[in-house]
Amino acid sequence: MTTAQPPVSAERLAVLPPLPRDEEGPVFDEPWQAQAFALAVKLSEQGHFAWTAWAKALAEELAAAEARGEPDDGSHYYHHWVSALERLVVERGLSDAAALEERKEAWADAYRHTPHGQPVELARRE
Amino acid sequence: MDETGERPVDRRGFIKGSAVGAAAFAAPGKMMTDRTDEAEVHAADAHEHDHGHDHGHDHDHDHQDVPSDIALRVRALESVLIEKEMVDPAALDEIVDNFENRIGPQNGARVVARAWVDPGFRDRLLADGTSAIGELDYLGGQGEHMKVVANTDSVHNLIVCTLCSCYPWPTLGLPPVWYKSSAYRARAVIEPREVLREFGLDLPEDVEVRVWDSTADIRYLVLPQRPAGTADMTEEQLAELVTRDSMVGVARVASPSSGGGR
């Protein structure tokens, strides 16, 4: 039987949304979802965090989104996945928030300065 | 931002596209259909004083469209971790390729069909799901500890993960969108009969509904009832009838005469 009740208030119970449904669609809707998925699996496989720690981090992101009033119909699931991944990567000292932000800006800059038809690459870092 | 209204990109294209450094996100018109994206790019461009672009016409730019913020965050994570040699890009591609092409509910369907034709396997499966599924070689990440629960005339089983999205990957692949939704995670334990009704399964009151809450440590698989009219079918033909939804417990396996599952 069930081992844990979800944190659901009576008020929320009254306004539970209808279930989203799907046919057996694609596994990932966008390339970044596949990349984020594979990164979490691989980092866990390599012992950077246990999968239980991953499940806990993801559950916390999902719960936080609901607490902000953003109950998810499942379509933003991988956004929460990425937030959990960033948090664990920083917590486990694999990188830090400033380095990730800087790298993100570097990629954005690379896209803005790469002509159409050429591969987007980061400039050599000093 | 919301990319869900966009057409899913080609599956094979993903795998190739996930190579680091490739311009995987630069398909014209792909990432710029979102108004939020356009606003972000305009704001970013405003800092580029040496640009002479007409900011009202993104697609005429002579540089590439900037991916969405979330895609850039993932790109940053990936490139930093690869640079530190914490992950191998080829291994990342292999994981995606496996889930796109090899791991899915067809694996669980073979387990179910075997249990239908082989009573000895069925007994082993229900007694020790992990080792019986291991006989078919469908163990692995997120399926190391499996418990299989059988539907009968008097019991119907339903699987959920109330906290996140734990799901038996090696037998069912990745979970569908609805399984990950707040609504399903909350409602499956509160009002399972109503949830099943919304999936088109109206259970008689005398059928007991058992809800199993998956965790990172143990994953469940429903063994659905073998439908009528299948006595002459082979194991392979039976496996074709078994749907993902029936193994999560939100559907029954339809009899082939009634049009079969989807």
Side-chain angles (χ1 to χ4, degrees), chain B residues 228-246:
Chain B
T230 59
D232 298 332
M233 295 178 77
T234 65
E235 187 176 332
E236 289 71 27
Q237 290 169 325
L238 288 168
E240 300 266 312
L241 298 178
V242 182
T243 61
R244 175 196 69 198
D245 287 4
S246 72

Side-chain angles (χ1 to χ4, degrees), chain B residues 59-105:
Chain B
H59 299 289
D60 293 337
H61 281 188
D62 60 4
H63 56 69
Q64 306 202 19
D65 293 338
V66 179
S68 63
D69 185 71
I70 188 86
L72 287 171
R73 283 163 62 192
V74 175
R75 174 58 59 92
L77 275 166
E78 187 183 56
S79 61
V80 164
L81 294 169
I82 287 172
E83 195 172 273
K84 293 188 171 187
E85 297 186 348
M86 287 171 180
V87 291
D88 169 10
L92 296 178
D93 285 349
E94 189 186 334
I95 290 171
V96 174
D97 185 47
N98 269 329
F99 278 92
E100 292 284 2
N101 300 297
R102 277 186 278 284
I103 301 175

Side-chain angles (χ1 to χ4, degrees), chain B residues 108-197:
Chain B
R110 289 191 199 108
V111 173
V112 168
R114 174 69 56 87
W116 284 348
V117 300
D118 181 344
F121 180 77
R122 184 181 195 278
D123 291 345
R124 294 197 296 283
L125 186 66
L126 297 178
D128 182 349
T130 306
S131 83
I133 290 169
E135 292 176 32
L136 297 183
D137 213 16
Y138 295 143
L139 296 178
Q142 313 321 311
E144 297 96 335
H145 302 288
M146 293 290 301
K147 181 169 176 60
V148 180
V149 289
N151 287 348
T152 66
D153 288 340
S154 57
V155 173
H156 185 90
N157 295 285
L158 179 66
I159 295 171
V160 65
C161 172
T162 56
L163 285 180
C164 47
S165 52
C166 298
Y167 194 73
W169 292 356
T171 38
L172 293 185
L174 296 182
V177 169
W178 53 261
Y179 186 88
K180 301 178 286 195
S181 69
S182 303
Y184 182 76
R185 292 188 286 119
R187 293 183 52 205
V189 290
I190 298 166
E191 45 175 15
R193 285 176 192 278
E194 180 56 33
V195 165
L196 291 174
R197 216 168 279 128

Side-chain angles (χ1 to χ4, degrees), chain A residues 104-118:
Chain A
K104 191 187 92 174
E105 288 308 314
W107 275 115
D109 206 47
Y111 275 90
R112 284 194 287 271
H113 291 94
T114 304
H116 279 301
Q118 290 186 17

